[in-house]
Amino acid sequence: MSTAPEQTRKRRMPRAERERQMVAVAEEIFADRGYLAASMDEIAERCGVSKPMIYEYFGSKEGLLVACIRQARAQLATATTQAVVGATGPRDALRRGLVAFFEFTDAHRRAWSLVLRNEAAVAGQAAAAEVEAVRQEQVEINIALFSTFLPDTARTDLEVAAQTVVGACERLSLWYVGRDDITADQAADHLTRILWGGLDALVDPR
C-alpha cells in the first residue's frame, strides 16, 4: 500500500503558530507601506494562506493591526518589568527601565513604528485604543515601580511622574532610533539626568 500522498502532504500549521506568522508578516507590511496602503492580498500571499483565512483569524484589517500592536505591548511590558528586577534604588530602577525601553524600540523598530505613527488613528477606534493601552500599561508599570521605592508618596505624584516618564520616552525614542551614534545606555543616561531632578524631589521633598 502506497503512503506517498501522506508523505507529501503539507504539515498543517497549528493555529497559534499560524497567527504568529500572520502577525509577523503584517507587522512588516504595515510598517513598510502604512496601514492604508497595506494589502490584505499581499499579506495572505506572503503567508501562503487565503485572504478569507486572515479574516477568519482576525476579523478585519484593523483587527490584524490590533494584534500587531498588542504583541508589541506584551513584549515591551515583559522587557521593562524584567529589567528592573534587582534594582538597588529608585534612580537605578529608572535607568534600568529606560535602557530596556530604548533597547526594545531599537530591536523592534517595525513594531514600535506602529505605536508611534498615526496608523492606529487612521485604522479605527479599536487600534487607537490599543495604542493608548500600550501607554497606560507602561504608566501603571512605572507607578508600581515608583511606589515600591517611594511607599509614602501620594498616588497623584506617582501618576504625574509615571505619565511624564512615558511621554518623555516616547518622544526621545523618535530621536534615538534615527541615530547611529547613540546607544540605548547613552539615551537612558541622557533621560535619567533630565528626569531625575523631578523624581528626586519625591524622594527628598525638602
Side-chain angles (χ1 to χ4, degrees):
M1 182 175 64
S2 174
T3 59
E6 284 75 14
Q7 291 173 346
T8 58
R9 185 181 301 159
K10 283 187 176 181
R11 178 181 70 88
R12 182 179 177 84
M13 187 179 291
R15 183 183 179 96
E17 186 179 344
R18 178 67 77 188
E19 285 184 358
R20 287 193 294 271
Q21 179 201 34
M22 292 177 180
V23 168
V25 170
E27 177 185 287
E28 180 177 352
I29 293 176
F30 284 143
D32 289 345
R33 315 240 195 288
Y35 176 78
L36 292 180
S39 165
M40 292 290 272
D41 288 311
E42 181 183 4
I43 294 171
E45 182 179 355
R46 291 266 297 273
C47 292
V49 303
S50 66
K51 188 163 67 171
M53 178 179 282
I54 298 181
Y55 283 104
E56 177 187 342
Y57 276 46
F58 299 101
S60 65
K61 184 178 176 181
E62 183 183 3
L64 184 53
L65 177 63
V66 168
C68 293
I69 297 170
R70 188 168 292 154
Q71 176 176 270
R73 170 186 171 186
Q75 292 170 338
L76 178 60
T78 298
T80 51
T81 53
Q82 289 182 349
V84 300
V85 174
T88 58
R91 180 166 182 150
D92 181 43
L94 173 65
R95 186 186 180 281
R96 286 178 181 225
L98 293 177
V99 170
F101 176 85
F102 290 120
E103 287 179 340
F104 174 87
T105 58
D106 195 19
H108 301 82
R109 292 190 183 196
R110 286 200 303 262
W112 190 240
S113 74
L114 298 178
V115 176
L116 292 183
R117 284 164 28 186
N118 203 34
E119 304 297 317
V122 171
Q125 292 184 346
E130 191 62 34
V131 168
E132 185 58 26
V134 176
R135 297 185 177 109
Q136 289 304 315
E137 183 168 46
Q138 288 298 302
V139 167
E140 291 302 323
I141 288 172
N142 283 327
I143 290 173
L145 173 64
F146 296 154
S147 65
T148 298
F149 294 101
L150 306 169
D152 299 325
T153 302
R155 170 78 184 191
T156 300
D157 288 338
L158 295 177
E159 289 176 354
V160 170
Q163 293 280 2
T164 300
V165 170
V166 169
C169 283
E170 188 170 311
R171 291 303 307 171
L172 194 62
S173 70
L174 289 171
W175 171 81
Y176 162 68
V177 297
R179 302 178 65 103
D180 296 324
D181 59 334
I182 300 291
T183 66
D185 284 270
Q186 290 171 330
D189 284 338
H190 284 304
L191 193 52
T192 298
R193 283 195 297 271
I194 293 170
L195 292 174
W196 184 247
L199 293 173
D200 190 39
L202 299 180
V203 178
D204 185 4
R206 291 178 298 172

